[in-house]
Amino acid sequence: MAKKTVATLQTSSKRLTKAIKMVKSPKTGAYMFVESIMAPELTNDFFNKK
């Protein structure tokens, strides 16, 4: 189960994307959110990896 949220951030010279996904903790079984700021081309790799 993944929550896919993408927000586009623009700075003066680069275009960045903040991606947030929900992952299940292997220790407790609780869900937590993982955030990352990256180039828009890398978002699919971020959401596809476990």
Side-chain angles (χ1 to χ4, degrees):
M1 177 181 224
K3 179 179 182 180
K4 188 173 184 179
T5 303
V6 177
T8 303
L9 308 172
Q10 286 192 332
T11 61
S12 60
S13 62
K14 291 185 178 180
R15 186 168 171 236
L16 300 174
T17 300
K18 180 178 182 180
I20 304 168
K21 72 176 176 179
M22 188 169 69
V23 293
K24 190 171 186 177
S25 173
K27 291 181 182 178
T28 62
Y31 286 97
M32 59 186 179
F33 294 97
V34 177
E35 298 181 15
S36 181
I37 296 177
M38 65 194 80
E41 300 83 31
L42 302 175
T43 55
N44 285 336
D45 295 335
F46 175 73
F47 287 117
N48 290 332
K49 72 177 181 179
K50 291 194 174 197

